[in-house]
Amino acid sequence: MPAPTREQLAPAPPATGDLNLMDALAQLTFAIQGSLAKRAAHHDLSLIQTRLLGVLRDRQPTMQELARLLDLDKSSVTGLIDRAELRRLVRRVPSSDDRRSVRVKLTSRGRRVIRQVVTAFRLDIDVATASLTSSDKDNLRSLTTRVITAHTAHRQD
Amino acid sequence: MPAPTREQLAPAPPATGDLNLMDALAQLTFAIQGSLAKRAAHHDLSLIQTRLLGVLRDRQPTMQELARLLDLDKSSVTGLIDRAELRRLVRRVPSSDDRRSVRVKLTSRGRRVIRQVVTAFRLDIDVATASLTSSDKDNLRSLTTRVITAHTAHRQD
DNA sequence: TATTGTTATACTCTATAACTATA
DNA sequence: TATAGTTATAGAGTATAACAATA
């Protein structure tokens, strides 16, 4: 008879035994996002605010572009940026060419905060992968990248 | 000179090039959770409601246990279960031994819905991993499981 | 007319503090 | 006293629809 299905989509705690690929990936995402959320919470940041700051590190997108990048409605982005701007993490600057649009920029404070969150998060990842050999790690990095690439290509919006 | 840091913590869209392990894992989690969220949304479910149903497939936990499993305050769980119960996805049943506590059970409707979400989600994972060989997949499954195990062990609550 | 962004509104999700009932 | 759960409250995050300003 088939082995009973266990722990599918479930969070980490019991996390025992043999997982199929889907369950392993699902559990991994909950575990990693949980780590990131905790690190962000130390700076009073939600996951979405953290993601916002992360995205802004190498971009100055318009509100519309931000909506697409974060997969949110533009009205949701308005509120997100309102709250981030109140905390001096980001700034709205008028767009030079189109007077309807604004660009969103990280402030130096925002950049400092996201750096701290990323640094702490990197430590969590280091700990969680500490038992892997260098070639295991590179293998995981490579496989993960391939999955991301395929996922992006098949993205149905 | 060092290569410029790109796409860290960012969502999938551009997702190009060489990612370090942390960035690869972070991007993967956003991509996979995005897939799951979209599949859940087809059934008008949020990610946390989906996770709730997933957890309940092989458990009938008390509210307190559920709070620990989902890493939420007990008062948050009250609201979560209230809304799920209104939709006939779960049911509160009195605990047999302790008259203070209740156990939460999946209804047949809830079980049907979570099955459908998982089935659709599995297809997304299949597509995203379609270019991997069988041994690649098993390798990814194994490495991922090891990371989850280590992460769980180091979990600081 | 179409696009960019905001506002008004309603709902989900979350935590904190105070409460009730039971242990 | 301690624990299980709910309630009251406040705020973040989200989408839909309607709106103003600009293209």
Side-chain angles (χ1 to χ4, degrees):
Chain A
M1 75 183 111
T5 301
R6 293 182 38 77
E7 279 304 313
Q8 292 170 336
L9 282 180
T16 42
D18 299 37
L19 297 171
N20 63 44
L21 182 53
M22 182 197 72
D23 290 339
L25 289 175
Q27 280 201 27
L28 182 72
T29 67
F30 284 122
I32 288 183
Q33 297 249 328
S35 271
L36 183 54
K38 284 221 166 70
R39 293 310 190 172
H42 292 161
H43 297 265
D44 218 16
L45 284 182
S46 66
L47 217 36
I48 186 63
Q49 288 280 349
T50 304
R51 207 175 154 197
L52 167 67
L53 300 188
V55 161
L56 292 180
R57 283 178 305 174
D58 59 357
R59 294 179 184 82
Q60 292 87 47
T62 65
M63 298 295 279
Q64 197 70 251
E65 289 166 351
L66 218 32
R68 185 181 52 76
L69 285 165
L70 300 176
D71 200 16
L72 292 175
D73 188 86
K74 55 185 178 168
S75 65
S76 304
V77 176
T78 294
L80 199 65
I81 300 302
D82 284 349
R83 292 183 293 274
E85 205 169 24
L86 276 175
R87 295 175 61 182
R88 311 286 188 202
L89 297 170
V90 306
R91 210 159 47 94
R92 280 177 171 95
V93 297
S95 179
S96 44
D97 42 329
D98 188 334
R99 281 192 304 175
R100 290 173 301 180
S101 73
V102 298
R103 294 204 166 267
V104 182
K105 290 182 57 171
L106 217 48
T107 62
S108 55
R109 178 169 155 65
R111 192 170 296 277
R112 190 167 61 247
V113 170
I114 187 60
R115 272 196 194 127
Q116 292 174 338
V117 173
V118 168
T119 298
F121 177 60
R122 178 174 288 115
L123 289 181
D124 291 336
I125 299 297
D126 287 347
V127 167
T129 59
S131 75
L132 273 54
T133 66
S134 285
S135 80
D136 280 343
K137 287 185 198 176
D138 196 60
N139 216 225
L140 179 58
R141 188 197 56 70
S142 162
L143 290 168
T144 301
T145 301
R146 288 169 64 191
V147 173
I148 294 166
T149 302
H151 182 273
T152 303
H154 289 91
R155 207 173 168 63
Q156 70 277 350
D157 304 299
Chain B
M1 78 183 110
T5 302
R6 292 182 40 75
E7 281 304 314
Q8 292 170 335
L9 283 182
T16 42
D18 299 36
L19 297 170
N20 63 45
L21 182 54
M22 181 197 71
D23 290 339
L25 288 175
Q27 280 201 26
L28 182 73
T29 67
F30 284 122
I32 288 182
Q33 298 251 328
S35 270
L36 183 55
K38 283 221 167 68
R39 293 309 191 173
H42 292 162
H43 297 264
D44 219 14
L45 285 182
S46 67
L47 217 37
I48 186 63
Q49 288 282 347
T50 304
R51 208 175 153 196
L52 167 67
L53 300 188
V55 162
L56 292 180
R57 284 178 304 175
D58 59 358
R59 296 179 183 82
Q60 292 87 48
T62 64
M63 298 295 279
Q64 197 70 249
E65 289 166 351
L66 218 33
R68 186 181 52 77
L69 286 165
L70 301 176
D71 199 17
L72 292 175
D73 188 87
K74 56 184 179 169
S75 65
S76 303
V77 176
T78 295
L80 199 66
I81 300 302
D82 283 349
R83 292 184 294 274
E85 205 169 24
L86 276 175
R87 296 175 59 181
R88 311 287 188 202
L89 297 169
V90 307
R91 211 159 47 94
R92 280 177 172 94
V93 297
S95 180
S96 45
D97 42 329
D98 188 334
R99 281 190 306 173
R100 292 173 301 181
S101 72
V102 298
R103 295 205 166 266
V104 182
K105 290 183 56 171
L106 216 48
T107 62
S108 54
R109 176 168 158 65
R111 193 170 296 277
R112 190 166 61 249
V113 170
I114 187 59
R115 273 196 192 127
Q116 292 174 338
V117 173
V118 168
T119 298
F121 177 61
R122 180 174 286 117
L123 288 181
D124 291 336
I125 299 297
D126 287 346
V127 167
T129 57
S131 75
L132 273 53
T133 65
S134 284
S135 79
D136 279 342
K137 286 184 197 176
D138 196 61
N139 216 227
L140 178 58
R141 187 196 57 69
S142 161
L143 289 168
T144 302
T145 300
R146 288 169 64 190
V147 173
I148 295 167
T149 303
H151 182 274
T152 303
H154 289 91
R155 208 173 167 64
Q156 71 276 351
D157 302 301

